[in-house]
Amino acid sequence: MRKATMATYMPVLSKVIESTEKMGEELNPSFEKLRQAIDDDAVAKMVPAEFNDIQMEFTDGTEQYQQNLQKLQKAGVPARLIGRHRNLIAAYEAYANACAAMTASLNITDQTVDVAAFNQAEKDQETEMTHVSNDVQRIMTMIG
């Protein structure tokens, strides 16, 4: 097996980070709309198609995050970055799981949101994204 190098590792890491940021930007307007509806106790008043679309977007986003996680798990990692990379995988997996939990908090059938689960997922996403960012920064510092 070829030894993992920065030249093979960095493009994978860059793609995953880029994809994650892009997906976050795409999902944010839907998240904000839903957050506002929850805060205003107006989820039931949302247009069903819009609620459905948000749930579908969240599902697509979660799938993208799962694919990114798989890319990180399969990446060839230079020996000196293995510990940091493991931390990154753990944080990214927890982030993807929090996104899945948020998606699961939306009930399409009766157009409701499990607000406690939604709020917890939001908190977990923020916490884990901070960990992901810190891990990426540490990796960048080590290779800089």
Side-chain angles (χ1 to χ4, degrees):
M1 194 169 130
R2 270 183 41 238
K3 198 173 166 203
T5 64
M6 291 299 169
T8 56
Y9 177 69
M10 285 313 296
V12 174
L13 183 61
S14 295
K15 271 199 178 93
V16 166
I17 298 311
E18 206 174 284
S19 162
T20 303
E21 288 173 352
K22 187 169 177 250
M23 185 54 66
E25 287 168 13
E26 286 175 20
L27 292 175
N28 195 52
S30 294
F31 167 78
E32 293 295 338
K33 202 176 286 178
L34 188 57
R35 175 81 263 169
Q36 193 63 53
I38 290 168
D39 293 346
D40 296 344
D41 199 19
V43 173
K45 295 183 190 106
M46 289 178 77
V47 176
E50 185 178 44
F51 186 81
N52 212 356
D53 285 349
I54 290 172
Q55 196 269 350
M56 284 168 50
E57 286 174 21
F58 282 13
T59 299
D60 291 346
T62 299
E63 285 172 14
Q64 181 66 57
Y65 296 139
Q66 294 293 350
Q67 289 169 8
N68 287 344
L69 176 62
Q70 289 171 358
K71 287 176 188 162
L72 287 175
Q73 290 167 331
K74 290 178 186 163
V77 184
R80 68 191 178 115
L81 296 180
I82 288 175
R84 291 279 177 226
H85 184 75
R86 281 197 187 123
N87 291 348
L88 174 61
I89 286 175
Y92 201 95
E93 185 169 17
Y95 176 75
N97 289 341
C99 293
M102 181 173 279
T103 303
S105 75
L106 309 184
N107 184 329
I108 291 297
T109 311
D110 58 7
Q111 192 164 317
T112 58
V113 176
D114 178 336
V115 176
F118 185 93
N119 290 342
Q120 186 60 54
E122 181 182 4
K123 246 187 258 164
D124 293 346
Q125 284 177 32
E126 287 172 11
T127 300
E128 296 309 330
M129 188 41 69
T130 299
H131 291 196
V132 167
S133 298
N134 290 342
D135 291 330
V136 169
Q137 283 177 328
R138 287 187 188 110
I139 288 169
M140 296 304 201
T141 302
M142 290 176 77
I143 61 175

